[in-house]
Amino acid sequence: MLKDNLKEVENNIVLACKKANRERSSVKLIAVSKTKPVEMLQEIYDAGSRDFGENKVQEIVAKRDELPSDINWHMIGHLQRNKVKYIINDVALIHSVDSYRLAEEINIQAKKNNRIVPILIEVNIAEEQSKFGVRAEETLQLVEEIATLENVRIKGLMTIAPMVDDPEDNREWFRKVRQLSVDIDSKNIDNVDMNELSMGMTGDYMVAIEEGATMVRVGTAIFGERNYSKN
Ligand SMILES: *Cc1c(COP(=O)(O)O)cnc(C)c1O
């Protein structure tokens, strides 16, 4: 049962919070439901989840109409500028902003819809070729540029750590992202908070919480393995 999976993840989050001397309420669990059918999302919704993560615009658009309207949709995947308009009114938070041009388009669409859209800046902390995200040393400058846009609000940083067998191997990356967020926060840039740190997935969310994650994005541990070939 998916409910049992959710319960187990919840228990692990509680454990990691205890270990790090943090309140459970300081960490939000985002159920990453990409490729999964709405029936499965409904099951997790019924078990209490209200935050779901998707990496494709089309999937958010298709799923939102079939599910309760109080779901917070998190866009966690690479976002193309020409698709921003389709989700601008549906997203609670865009985790994956890594260029000024994308932020500019979000700003345009947000303004049109009379919204202020919260975003995170995606940092490619390990500088992996295969990943999107800005490099650590370019992050401050990008934050300063995006901060000038009136209808977007930077809330913090997001990172996808490398695929590793031992989650301890990602501790240093999480620590680096956290330090980067502290450094940027100390600049007191107008319109910018560094309150959110979106980091940690099925393989490493407990370590991420110990290193300060405020949002963990967990898919496989809740919904099971993804089968891309079926799609
Ligand atoms: C798929 C995905 C996740 C969840 O990955 P799991 O290993 O299944 O928990 C988290 N973050 C992003 C950006 C993803 O694309």
Side-chain angles (χ1 to χ4, degrees):
M1 290 274 284
L2 298 188
K3 251 201 261 183
D4 301 325
N5 294 345
L6 183 65
K7 186 78 199 141
E8 192 177 328
V9 172
E10 177 58 34
N11 290 343
N12 286 335
I13 292 174
V14 169
L15 279 177
C17 284
K18 271 209 185 102
K19 193 166 167 198
N21 247 317
R22 297 181 57 187
E23 297 287 336
R24 168 64 187 92
S25 58
S26 69
V27 180
K28 182 174 279 178
L29 171 60
I30 298 172
V32 176
S33 47
K34 62 193 187 196
T35 78
K36 299 297 180 182
V38 289
E39 293 73 23
M40 291 177 86
L41 280 73
Q42 183 72 53
E43 210 175 317
I44 291 300
Y45 177 94
D46 292 340
S49 296
R50 293 295 177 271
D51 290 271
F52 290 85
E54 292 283 345
N55 67 345
K56 291 212 169 82
V57 166
Q58 304 89 292
E59 262 188 272
I60 294 181
V61 170
K63 286 172 176 173
R64 68 167 176 216
D65 291 334
E66 298 192 51
L67 288 162
S69 59
D70 63 342
I71 287 178
N72 301 312
W73 294 102
H74 293 259
M75 178 59 191
I76 62 174
H78 182 62
L79 180 56
Q80 286 170 297
R81 283 181 300 142
N82 62 355
K83 293 186 177 160
V84 171
K85 55 178 176 285
Y86 301 118
I87 51 161
I88 198 74
N89 284 319
D90 299 307
V91 277
L93 180 64
I94 301 174
H95 292 231
S96 44
V97 176
D98 64 356
S99 73
Y100 180 77
R101 274 156 50 95
L102 173 59
E104 200 175 31
E105 176 62 17
I106 296 168
N107 187 54
I108 288 169
Q109 297 301 332
K111 205 170 275 180
K112 265 193 196 161
N113 289 275
N114 237 323
R115 282 201 65 190
I116 305 243
V117 173
I119 66 167
L120 303 179
I121 304 299
E122 180 173 352
V123 183
N124 184 355
I125 194 69
E127 297 188 13
E128 292 176 282
Q129 291 287 327
S130 58
K131 291 212 166 98
F132 292 103
V134 68
R135 291 153 56 118
E137 60 270 30
E138 295 161 349
T139 307
L140 174 60
Q141 196 193 337
L142 181 61
V143 167
E144 286 172 333
E145 286 167 8
I146 293 175
T148 63
L149 299 170
E150 288 180 344
N151 289 59
V152 300
R153 280 293 180 284
I154 297 176
K155 298 293 183 188
L157 304 179
M158 178 272 225
T159 202
I160 304 173
M163 289 282 272
V164 290
D165 291 324
D166 181 356
E168 283 300 324
D169 293 346
N170 280 337
R171 190 179 290 279
E172 59 161 327
W173 299 122
F174 295 141
R175 214 169 260 178
K176 282 191 166 129
V177 176
R178 158 125 176 112
Q179 189 55 50
L180 182 61
S181 111
V182 168
D183 292 345
I184 294 172
D185 198 38
S186 74
K187 309 281 182 196
N188 286 316
I189 304 163
D190 279 351
N191 288 327
V192 173
D193 311 326
M194 283 285 137
N195 295 335
E196 303 294 350
L197 265 183
S198 169
M199 57 188 197
M201 308 176 20
T202 291
D204 56 19
Y205 64 95
M206 294 180 78
V207 173
I209 289 169
E210 288 169 35
E211 295 303 327
T214 65
M215 294 180 168
V216 290
R217 309 177 309 266
V218 179
T220 307
I222 297 173
F223 293 103
E225 295 286 339
R226 287 174 293 272
N227 183 348
Y228 287 98
S229 64
K230 267 199 307 203
N231 289 287

